[in-house]
Amino acid sequence: MAKKKKGKVIQMLSPENYIKQKARDLPVYECWVNKSWDEDQLAHVIVARKHVTGNITFGAYLVDLKCLGVKDAFYWFNVPHFKYREHLDATNENIAIDLEKTSYVLAHNIIYAGIEFAEDYGFEPYKDFAVAKYILEEDSEDIELIEIECGVDGKPFYMRGPHDSEVRANQIIDQLEKTAGPGNYEFVDATDYDFHDDDETDDDEEIFEEESGDDDLYDLIEQWPLEKKVVMLKTILAEEDSVPDKTDAQLFYILIQSIFNQHIEKDDIKESSSKLLKQLRAYEITPDLSDEVLGLNAINQFGLDRNIWQDQFLKIFHASSDEVKSMLAKLKKLRKTMPDNPAVHFLDLFINRSRNYEQYLKKINDSYNKFPDYSLIKILKMSFSKATEYSSILAEGPALFFSHRKQIHEIELFLYLTMLNQLAFFNNDFKQFLVIEEIANEIGLSDDILELILQQNLQIKLQVILDLYYEENPHLDKRKTNSHSTVYQFRIQIKGIKKPPVWRQVIVPADFSFYEFHLLIQSVFGWFDSHLFEFSPRGIGSYPAITTNYGEDFEIDGETIEAKEMLLSEQFMTEKQKIIYTYDFGDNWEHQITLEKILKNTMPYVDCIAGKGKCPPEDCGGIWGYESMKEVLTNKDDPEYDEFIEWLGLEEGAEWDANEFDLEEVKQELRDQFQL
């Protein structure tokens, strides 16, 4: 490192390296172990440490005290507290793992007793323990020793479970033959037996295994208390890396339906669905696209082969995400051939619907002004209607879009129902989802289109449930409940970095709290959210400071406002307003935030629309340290070059590119984190 920084202990950048370097400096927050660990000699241990921000770094260890020691180990770095609690809830819901709090000393002794016993017979801890062990204290005489019984009568006892392959089982037995010796260990092949008798099997599990019908499973789940349904749903959602089997998918679907239905008053749903069904049945659903939908007049002014154009239209409309690029090329040619065809304009809008929201809405308005009577563009336009227009759209029904017609294509019907779903969601008219679901099942759609609507409906219901149960926002009652509100366009730039500058341009709902804004800034720049932060007029030392409560040990002098309780709209009133966001009071990264635009009467959304420059690594010493690091990395002969490469966790031959910025990657990160 540069001389001025010699005395500073620098933290590694990756979660793994951070854990190795700094986890033991974090205070132990709490520890858990399953109640039956000593009887079963299979321990599920969790050790959690707390960051100053309130986030949690924790390790989970599966310890086989009979033979293999640490069979499995996981670690989670710097996760929000509510995510940590979700993991505990999901673990406790498993009937085989009934966790209870325990002392760190007992947790430590269980893990290291298992390791020591297993090592006597040549078994090493699971590979990820190489990192997860740093969440534990160093195994030294400073830790009080507790006698933990291992093995059965002092001998290793290996039970082959359902996840142990035959090859793995044979490897373990061969190892025991060498280290324990013939006759000095026990082996049971659990895959040869069914250990679940009628008395021991949980009632719910029996039905999952024995009953294949949706009705039986739905009836069972309907009898559960709401809290149990929510915990079970969170358990399934927590297993996002695994592919759900048929039973899990079925359970997932039924849980969403059951939880959602429990929150909806079903009065007048039948009346509403009957009315809409009657309106729609006034139209014949035709398999052929009409001239009107294809944008053709009676004399076919474009001189097209109608059948070829219909095939092209359907192919572009049904294009998968992998085909979008080639479809955009087709559209480019079609726009030259038919610049005034409304169907071409619609397809352009439809296939670009996931692009920048502001530009997309402008394109819809431009197309609608040009073709106000074209049904599909009109449907897209009305999907973004004001809350005050919602009731009239429902009252007028499909005639608002298909007047003077007797036939409609199922694509038109699909988009019409999709529009109603979208408007219902942003107007909190949750009953309408059930109406649309009933209509979709009754109207006679093709299987593919019906599946699209039902999947869309399910996703919306899930989003409603997530809003209800996932993150508690103390400012939620201040938020607007209609479909249209205000969003802000900010430019956020790290002060002092020039070659290249590091900045992001973001879109944020005005009803975001400053704490949510803090999380968004962390996400778009790539910070770890492992240090203190504040928003203040001119940086540290200016007030009021908008921050969050980190406890008595980290109080900030002067006037402070809780970031979770203040909305952006309460601070930002006019364009060009500025504020400083400071992250890490040691390195003192100051971000200049400028409100560039206030966009009114639009739906709330989150986006990053532009940016430049790679975010500096955490704990590199602020602006001075970062500039020094970049200078060293330009010269492979510099004596500190290898030290920086190792510290950054770069592989041999890799380089630190200060210009690196992947907009699509940042957008995806925001989509994952903020579901608006």
Side-chain angles (χ1 to χ4, degrees):
M1 301 295 164
K3 290 181 180 179
K4 192 173 179 180
K5 303 294 290 179
K6 284 289 186 181
K8 181 177 175 81
V9 178
I10 301 181
Q11 300 165 343
M12 296 296 188
L13 292 179
S14 69
E16 291 78 11
N17 287 333
Y18 189 102
I19 289 172
K20 288 179 180 179
Q21 285 285 333
K22 300 296 291 181
R24 286 173 178 164
D25 294 339
L26 302 173
V28 173
Y29 175 53
E30 61 186 19
C31 303
W32 299 82
V33 68
N34 54 309
K35 291 180 180 178
S36 61
W37 70 269
D38 51 348
E39 180 181 345
D40 299 339
Q41 290 187 289
L42 186 66
H44 298 263
V45 182
I46 294 174
V47 175
R49 293 180 180 269
K50 195 170 188 178
H51 294 256
V52 67
T53 60
N55 286 359
I56 302 294
T57 288
F58 67 101
Y61 312 85
L62 177 61
V63 187
D64 173 16
L65 294 169
K66 289 189 178 79
C67 181
L68 299 177
V70 177
K71 289 181 64 175
D72 210 347
F74 302 92
Y75 50 88
W76 286 261
F77 171 68
N78 201 31
V79 299
H81 192 273
F82 78 93
K83 285 289 186 184
Y84 165 67
R85 300 305 307 182
E86 283 175 11
H87 175 82
L88 291 180
D89 291 342
T91 303
N92 265 320
E93 189 63 21
N94 184 330
I95 61 171
I97 308 174
D98 187 11
L99 294 175
E100 64 179 358
K101 279 191 176 181
T102 188
S103 67
Y104 174 77
V105 173
L106 179 58
H108 184 104
N109 273 271
I110 290 171
I111 294 168
Y112 278 98
I115 290 173
E116 185 177 340
F117 184 78
E119 285 179 344
D120 287 342
Y121 299 98
F123 298 113
E124 297 292 328
Y126 182 71
K127 58 182 177 63
D128 286 349
F129 185 72
V131 175
K133 70 180 180 182
Y134 290 97
I135 297 173
L136 307 172
E137 294 294 316
E138 187 176 358
D139 188 36
S140 68
E141 294 180 356
D142 294 337
I143 306 296
E144 177 189 350
L145 185 63
I146 299 176
E147 198 68 37
I148 304 292
E149 182 180 353
C150 295
V152 176
D153 296 329
K155 297 179 181 179
F157 183 106
Y158 168 52
M159 178 180 290
R160 178 190 173 190
H163 300 295
D164 290 343
S165 67
E166 189 170 348
V167 172
R168 173 60 177 157
N170 288 335
Q171 288 174 340
I172 292 171
I173 293 169
D174 288 346
Q175 183 70 18
L176 289 172
E177 283 284 322
K178 294 175 185 175
T179 54
N184 291 321
Y185 66 91
E186 296 290 337
F187 167 62
V188 172
D189 191 343
T191 61
D192 291 340
Y193 302 95
D194 179 7
F195 288 101
H196 295 292
D197 60 34
D198 292 340
D199 294 330
E200 294 176 342
T201 304
D202 182 82
D203 291 340
D204 296 349
E205 188 177 338
E206 278 187 4
I207 293 183
F208 293 159
E209 292 177 351
E210 296 175 7
E211 301 291 349
S212 58
D214 285 357
D215 291 342
D216 294 318
L217 189 55
Y218 192 90
D219 290 343
L220 167 70
I221 291 173
E222 280 292 273
Q223 297 171 26
W224 289 358
L226 179 62
E227 294 77 10
K228 181 172 181 179
K229 297 177 192 177
V230 173
V231 169
M232 181 67 81
L233 180 64
K234 287 184 174 183
T235 302
I236 294 174
L237 289 171
E239 298 170 351
E240 16 180 77
D241 291 335
S242 60
V243 179
D245 60 23
K246 184 178 178 181
T247 300
D248 284 342
Q250 181 187 39
L251 177 60
F252 180 68
Y253 170 80
I254 292 174
L255 283 168
I256 292 173
Q257 303 287 19
S258 183
I259 295 170
F260 181 83
N261 290 345
Q262 198 158 339
H263 284 278
I264 303 301
E265 293 289 337
K266 297 185 180 180
D267 302 340
D268 75 9
I269 285 178
K270 202 72 180 175
E271 181 181 342
S272 298
S273 60
S274 296
K275 179 183 176 182
L276 181 55
L277 191 59
K278 184 178 180 180
Q279 290 172 329
L280 289 172
R281 281 184 169 157
Y283 304 90
E284 177 190 352
I285 301 176
T286 175
D288 293 319
L289 293 167
S290 66
D291 285 348
E292 182 174 343
V293 174
L294 290 173
L296 304 176
N297 62 17
I299 60 172
N300 189 358
Q301 77 271 35
F302 300 111
L304 295 174
D305 182 309
R306 191 186 185 287
N307 292 330
I308 292 176
W309 171 220
Q310 176 171 273
D311 289 345
Q312 286 182 320
F313 183 100
L314 293 173
K315 188 172 183 179
I316 294 172
F317 181 84
H318 290 293
S320 66
S321 57
D322 295 336
E323 299 171 316
V324 166
K325 191 173 182 179
S326 61
M327 294 301 109
L328 287 172
K330 285 184 181 294
L331 276 170
K332 187 175 182 180
K333 293 179 181 178
L334 288 169
R335 281 195 297 270
K336 291 181 179 179
T337 307
M338 301 183 286
D340 296 322
N341 187 320
V344 175
H345 283 254
F346 161 74
L347 289 173
D348 185 40
L349 291 169
F350 186 75
I351 208 155
N352 281 292
R353 60 194 182 277
S354 62
R355 299 300 173 98
N356 179 275
Y357 177 89
E358 186 181 355
Q359 294 175 8
Y360 178 62
L361 194 57
K362 183 180 183 304
K363 288 185 72 172
I364 287 178
N365 288 330
D366 290 345
S367 296
Y368 177 72
N369 290 334
K370 192 171 184 178
F371 309 106
D373 297 323
Y374 181 72
S375 64
L376 299 183
I377 291 177
K378 190 173 184 179
I379 287 172
L380 292 182
K381 166 67 175 176
M382 294 300 168
S383 297
F384 300 93
S385 297
K386 297 178 181 178
T388 53
E389 299 170 338
Y390 178 54
S391 57
S392 63
I393 290 173
L394 288 181
E396 291 192 53
L400 180 62
F401 306 93
F402 314 124
S403 58
H404 313 301
R405 292 173 54 189
K406 294 182 179 179
Q407 294 181 327
I408 58 175
H409 191 270
E410 68 174 5
I411 284 177
E412 294 177 284
L413 182 53
F414 164 70
L415 289 170
Y416 175 70
L417 294 178
T418 296
M419 175 202 69
L420 293 182
N421 253 342
Q422 182 170 317
L423 290 176
F425 178 71
F426 287 110
N427 286 277
N428 295 329
D429 184 10
F430 301 148
K431 291 181 185 178
Q432 189 67 24
F433 303 150
L434 302 181
V435 171
I436 293 167
E437 200 168 88
E438 192 166 322
I439 294 295
N441 280 298
E442 290 286 332
I443 200 66
L445 296 168
S446 68
D447 290 344
D448 289 344
I449 295 292
L450 175 61
E451 181 67 20
L452 280 174
I453 291 176
L454 295 181
Q455 283 296 326
Q456 177 190 83
N457 202 279
L458 191 70
Q459 286 297 319
I460 292 175
K461 289 180 181 180
L462 176 59
Q463 184 58 56
V464 171
I465 293 169
L466 293 177
D467 289 345
L468 285 168
Y469 292 105
Y470 258 68
E471 190 166 4
E472 295 181 2
N473 292 313
H475 55 275
L476 196 60
D477 58 328
K478 300 189 211 173
R479 288 191 164 175
K480 299 176 182 178
T481 57
N482 60 26
S483 63
H484 284 70
S485 57
T486 300
V487 298
Y488 292 150
Q489 178 178 311
F490 290 106
R491 180 185 173 93
I492 309 170
Q493 181 162 348
I494 301 179
K495 296 178 69 175
I497 302 177
K498 296 181 179 179
K499 295 181 179 179
V502 180
W503 58 269
R504 307 289 185 259
Q505 198 172 30
V506 299
I507 302 292
V508 186
D511 61 5
F512 252 33
S513 72
F514 271 85
Y515 183 72
E516 289 171 303
F517 193 28
H518 152 71
L519 294 178
L520 179 137
I521 294 170
Q522 290 286 311
S523 182
V524 297
F525 280 93
W527 295 119
F528 278 175
D529 191 19
S530 55
H531 298 286
L532 303 175
F533 75 93
E534 75 168 39
F535 297 88
S536 50
R538 294 172 299 281
I540 299 296
S542 62
Y543 302 99
I546 304 170
T547 183
T548 197
N549 181 16
Y550 293 113
E552 296 179 358
D553 294 337
F554 298 96
E555 291 184 354
I556 296 174
D557 294 334
E559 182 185 352
T560 62
I561 299 171
E562 171 54 57
K564 294 179 181 177
E565 296 178 358
M566 188 172 193
L567 304 184
L568 296 180
S569 58
E570 296 174 290
Q571 174 71 25
F572 290 99
M573 307 294 181
T574 60
E575 293 179 356
K576 308 306 178 186
Q577 268 187 265
K578 299 179 186 294
I579 198 170
I580 299 294
Y581 168 78
T582 306
Y583 172 62
D584 185 351
F585 296 171
D587 282 358
N588 199 46
W589 298 105
E590 288 191 333
H591 305 63
Q592 176 72 65
I593 299 175
T594 304
L595 176 58
E596 294 184 317
K597 292 181 183 179
I598 299 177
L599 308 172
K600 295 186 177 181
N601 293 323
T602 186
M603 287 188 295
Y605 70 109
V606 171
D607 199 5
C608 180
I609 57 177
K612 187 174 183 179
K614 189 169 186 172
C615 185
E618 295 260 5
D619 305 297
C620 66
I623 299 296
W624 183 90
Y626 181 49
E627 294 300 334
S628 175
M629 183 196 86
K630 286 196 295 183
E631 184 178 349
V632 169
L633 290 175
T634 61
N635 180 11
K636 292 185 178 181
D637 295 327
D638 191 293
E640 294 179 322
Y641 178 85
D642 290 338
E643 186 180 352
F644 269 118
I645 290 294
E646 181 182 357
W647 175 61
L648 289 166
L650 297 176
E651 297 180 358
E652 187 176 350
E655 295 181 356
W656 174 269
D657 183 2
N659 291 286
E660 182 183 343
F661 173 68
D662 189 329
L663 181 60
E664 286 306 314
E665 185 177 315
V666 173
K667 285 177 176 286
Q668 184 59 53
E669 181 69 25
L670 289 178
R671 284 193 288 269
D672 292 343
Q673 186 171 2
F674 298 97
Q675 301 183 25
L676 287 181

